[in-house]
Amino acid sequence: DGGITQSPKYLFRKEGQNVTLSCEQNLNHDAMYWYRQDPGQGLRLIYYSQIVNDFQKGDIAEGYSVSREKKESFPLTVTSAQKNPTAFYLCASSIVEASYGYTFGSGTRLTVV
Amino acid sequence: AQSVTQLGSHVSVSEGALVLLRCNYSSSVPPYLFWYVQYPNQGLQLLLKYTSAATLVKGINGFEAEFKKSETSFHLTKPSAHMSDAAEYFCAVDSGTYKYIFGTGTRLKVLA
């Protein structure tokens, strides 16, 4: 079955360390997105990519980086520059059509101690 | 600029009662509107979407929503709540930029 896989589901890191969250899709979608979710704040867009080798900053890109070397993969790195990285991170994908709707992964909960 | 406002961060209903979750949007062009549901520690699942084909949209699990342009609203309803409907619900808007703007969510509690 097609879908989006995020791994790991839970991740613990020490403060000051970079960490990479994985997102893989086999839906043949061109567009992929990373959102951050915090209680009471909804989903906020970190980065998005609508084509391989190209990506754009979202509303809260500071302290994060991404790559899009393959259509299927869109990893997110949370760097030490991110001031408050503890959050639930969601990856999504879609075809590039506004009315299509996103397909979401099951998320990665990152805790920085 | 586009935006979404969900009124009520928490809503409680009795099992069997009507569910009404409110969403108002702002968009300078005809929008695409979506409702998603999220169960604890999971991703979001698409419930339904408005794409201008019909103002009353039916989705999964018995939910429906009505697009009202005059009120800039897209409220989500279900005639009879079930315990399994307890979850967080998100409204989202896209004005053609392929980037969705999400509301802050409404957590639905269903009382036995």
Side-chain angles (χ1 to χ4, degrees):
Chain A
D1 287 342
I4 297 184
T5 301
Q6 288 189 244
S7 61
K9 191 166 180 63
Y10 298 95
L11 190 55
F12 296 87
R13 279 295 181 268
K14 291 184 178 180
E15 193 171 341
Q17 289 182 334
N18 291 355
V19 61
T20 297
L21 282 59
S22 171
C23 178
E24 303 275 337
Q25 55 99 359
N26 60 3
L27 298 166
N28 201 33
H29 287 170
D30 287 306
M32 297 187 74
Y33 306 82
W34 274 106
Y35 284 88
R36 171 178 170 143
Q37 186 177 18
D38 296 282
Q41 297 193 47
L43 279 70
R44 292 181 291 168
L45 183 63
I46 305 172
Y47 269 98
Y48 66 102
S49 168
Q50 294 182 345
I51 194 170
V52 174
N53 293 321
D54 186 53
F55 49 83
Q56 307 296 327
K57 292 182 179 180
D59 300 318
I60 57 164
E62 185 175 351
Y64 299 96
S65 65
V66 294
S67 63
R68 187 84 187 278
E69 298 176 359
K70 297 187 300 181
K71 187 175 185 177
E72 301 79 18
S73 178
F74 192 42
L76 173 73
T77 297
V78 184
T79 74
S80 57
Q82 167 53 231
K83 300 300 182 188
N84 184 20
T86 295
F88 191 53
Y89 291 87
L90 287 161
C91 181
S93 72
S94 179
I95 65 173
V96 183
E97 180 182 315
S99 65
Y100 188 77
Y102 290 176
T103 299
F104 280 87
S106 58
T108 293
R109 186 167 297 282
L110 173 64
T111 302
V112 176
V113 297
Chain B
Q2 53 188 1
S3 65
V4 168
T5 301
Q6 290 185 242
L7 296 175
S9 59
H10 292 82
V11 171
S12 294
V13 300
S14 298
E15 191 174 20
L18 172 71
V19 175
L20 171 60
L21 304 182
R22 300 178 186 274
C23 173
N24 289 87
Y25 70 91
S26 172
S27 177
S28 57
V29 298
Y32 299 107
L33 294 160
F34 307 84
W35 275 101
Y36 286 85
V37 60
Q38 184 182 35
Y39 298 99
N41 292 312
Q42 293 187 27
L44 277 68
Q45 180 184 6
L46 182 65
L47 274 177
L48 49 80
K49 61 182 179 181
Y50 167 75
T51 60
S52 77
T55 57
L56 182 62
V57 182
K58 295 187 183 299
I60 62 172
N61 301 340
F63 285 93
E64 63 182 36
E66 186 172 8
F67 173 73
K68 292 187 177 181
K69 185 178 179 180
S70 60
E71 299 177 7
T72 61
S73 69
F74 190 57
H75 302 330
L76 182 70
T77 61
K78 182 174 181 178
S80 176
H82 191 273
M83 297 298 289
S84 61
D85 295 327
E88 189 157 21
Y89 293 80
F90 291 91
C91 183
V93 63
D94 181 6
S95 298
T97 64
Y98 313 114
K99 295 184 298 175
Y100 297 175
I101 301 299
F102 286 85
T104 53
T106 297
R107 188 170 298 277
L108 176 66
K109 185 174 182 179
V110 182
L111 307 172

